[in-house]
Amino acid sequence: MSATLSAPLLDTYARADITFVDGEGAWLFADDGTRYLDLVAGIAVVVLGHRHPAPLAAAHAQLDRLWHTSNLYGTKPMRRLAQLLSDRFGGAQAFFCNSGAEAVEAAIKYARKATARTGILALENSFHGRTAGALAVTGQPAKRKAFQPLLPGVTFARANDEQSLAAAAGPDTACILLELIQGEGGIHALTPEFVAAARELADEHGALLVFDEVQTGMGRTGTFFAWQQLGVRPDALTLAKGLANGLPIGALVVSDAAAGAFVPGDHGSTFGGNPVTCAAACAVCEAIDAELLDAVARKGARLTQALSTLPAVSEVRGAGLLLGVELAREKPADVIAACLARHLLVGAAGERTLRLAPPLTITDHELGQAISILQEVLA
Ligand code: PLP
């Protein structure tokens, strides 16, 4: 393992002492030549694997032509990406930005403008990002504490508690904002009944139903969007992480039926819709086909089966290749360190949960290698 050069960085992350210099598929290579099998994928971002040829070629070609125009003008990659997302959604309009938190910010503003209301109904234990607005709708008191007062008008209901949700909804609710699988909160899925109840409540109160698919979107759970497995269509959704396979991008996608609330001047982003990132994102959208999605479900089932009977594991949760491994006794940090020593990268989510979110393209052989190491560490 190489020593990280000290650098004048603000202290926001507990970084491992490794410097990566190359990537290929499900592998990362450190500056000392050690290779690591990557089940973190840049925190559920690199869906097609490192240096995947399709987004790589698309980004390269666009880099050679045009990098940036601002949103005062159109570019072909941005228009194409909006169309690809609309086709996947079944009719929608997009706003592009640069991160998940920015997509959530856009969703909050959109819901308020569309309904002329202020209330945002989110869930306890949710995570929607670190910017001031996204933090205001994040239901984790420890993350919010030092930054109060945050945006007013936000209420939190308990996940999978329909009564709690109904009690918190009212005539001032602009939107109900849900992660279908709470990712940072520990990989906890919402039940189909709860999501269906949220849809009914939103309709009853004239509020928008918004799904934050920053982590669950782009094939991560075995369908292009996670909502497709539940059959509950949102009015809007947010995307980021996997959208451009690691280039920075976020999107607010609003259904055709709910579109039309923003007018020029309401919202914007200098870099949003950047042609290079949009070109890469178009290639990602095109690469996520039925075969890849079937493989995601199959590989997720294999991982779940292999890990759920291990002595150190009390439960494996999640869907597709977004899995939470609840540890019976050990701390995630200790397991992460033990895996790192065996050149396997795994992450954490919540208090007692390992997060496994490998590239969706991880091969069966590589998955077997990861399972062997996890079996050894979690025995
Ligand atoms: N929403 C969800 C569901 C997330 O998981 C995250 C990040 O983990 C965000 C929003 C924030 O995304 P970003 O870190 O790109 O701002």
Side-chain angles (χ1 to χ4, degrees):
M1 215 184 290
S2 66
T4 302
L5 293 175
S6 71
L9 291 164
L10 285 178
D11 200 16
T12 53
Y13 280 90
R15 283 188 184 81
D17 192 15
I18 313 175
T19 301
F20 287 118
V21 290
D22 286 302
E24 186 75 50
W27 298 91
L28 282 172
F29 300 85
D31 57 355
D32 65 357
T34 312
R35 70 172 197 162
Y36 293 79
L37 185 51
D38 183 10
L39 302 199
V40 174
I43 318 185
V45 166
V46 188
V47 284
L48 299 183
H50 301 283
R51 270 171 34 91
H52 187 279
L56 185 64
H60 266 162
Q62 189 60 41
L63 266 175
D64 281 338
R65 297 190 70 169
L66 178 67
W67 287 24
H68 178 77
T69 59
S70 86
N71 280 292
L72 300 177
Y73 313 98
T75 66
K76 287 186 179 174
M78 182 171 69
R79 289 205 180 100
R80 224 175 117 236
L81 181 58
Q83 190 58 54
L84 286 167
L85 292 175
S86 174
D87 293 347
R88 292 284 189 161
F89 187 90
Q93 301 179 19
F95 167 80
F96 294 113
C97 49
N98 311 287
S99 68
E102 276 184 56
V104 170
E105 297 286 341
I108 293 170
K109 281 182 69 178
Y110 191 86
R112 285 186 162 187
K113 181 86 195 299
T115 60
R117 301 170 181 182
T118 55
I120 310 292
L121 174 46
L123 296 185
E124 291 172 5
N125 196 43
S126 60
F127 184 83
H128 298 290
R130 303 283 192 161
T131 55
L135 187 60
V137 296
T138 287
Q140 299 190 35
K143 292 191 168 61
R144 304 156 52 90
K145 202 170 63 191
F147 306 101
Q148 310 276 10
L150 292 162
L151 193 67
V154 182
T155 46
F156 295 101
R158 276 186 300 281
N160 292 333
D161 181 336
E162 291 165 40
Q163 281 181 348
S164 165
L165 194 71
D172 190 45
T173 305
C175 76
I176 301 177
L177 174 64
L178 306 176
E179 287 167 276
L180 295 177
I181 298 176
Q182 292 189 331
E184 302 298 310
I187 319 295
H188 297 283
L190 298 183
T191 62
E193 298 74 29
F194 182 78
V195 179
R199 177 70 277 173
E200 274 178 33
L201 266 179
D203 291 342
E204 190 184 313
H205 289 288
L208 299 187
L209 181 64
V210 180
F211 293 160
D212 182 346
E213 293 236 27
V214 162
Q215 190 154 173
T216 54
M218 306 310 293
R220 174 63 52 201
T221 69
T223 43
F224 191 88
F225 302 117
W227 66 261
Q228 291 167 309
Q229 286 170 58
L230 299 177
V232 176
R233 186 182 291 270
D235 299 305
L237 61 82
T238 53
L239 291 173
K241 288 193 184 278
L243 182 51
N245 207 44
L247 290 183
I249 188 170
L252 170 67
V253 178
V254 180
S255 73
D256 281 341
F262 274 167
V263 296
D266 277 341
H267 200 51
S269 165
T270 298
F271 288 122
N274 173 274
V276 179
T277 54
C278 284
C282 288
V284 174
C285 287
E286 281 163 348
I288 300 177
D289 57 14
E291 196 184 334
L292 180 75
L293 292 170
D294 284 352
V296 171
R298 180 176 52 73
K299 290 173 201 171
R302 180 180 170 200
L303 257 179
T304 304
Q305 200 193 13
L307 302 181
S308 47
T309 53
L310 296 178
V313 172
S314 51
E315 188 187 12
V316 181
R317 300 185 293 265
L321 287 172
L322 180 59
L323 295 179
V325 180
E326 180 87 5
L327 299 174
R329 36 176 204 272
E330 279 154 295
K331 291 200 197 87
D334 296 336
V335 175
I336 289 170
C339 289
L340 198 61
R342 293 163 174 81
H343 304 153
L344 177 71
L345 303 180
V346 297
E351 299 281 298
R352 303 211 54 85
T353 310
L354 292 182
R355 172 174 27 194
L356 307 182
L360 309 183
T361 51
I362 190 169
T363 66
D364 289 320
H365 178 68
E366 289 161 345
L367 208 58
Q369 289 176 278
I371 288 170
S372 299
I373 296 171
L374 286 164
Q375 282 170 336
E376 193 184 313
V377 170
L378 299 172

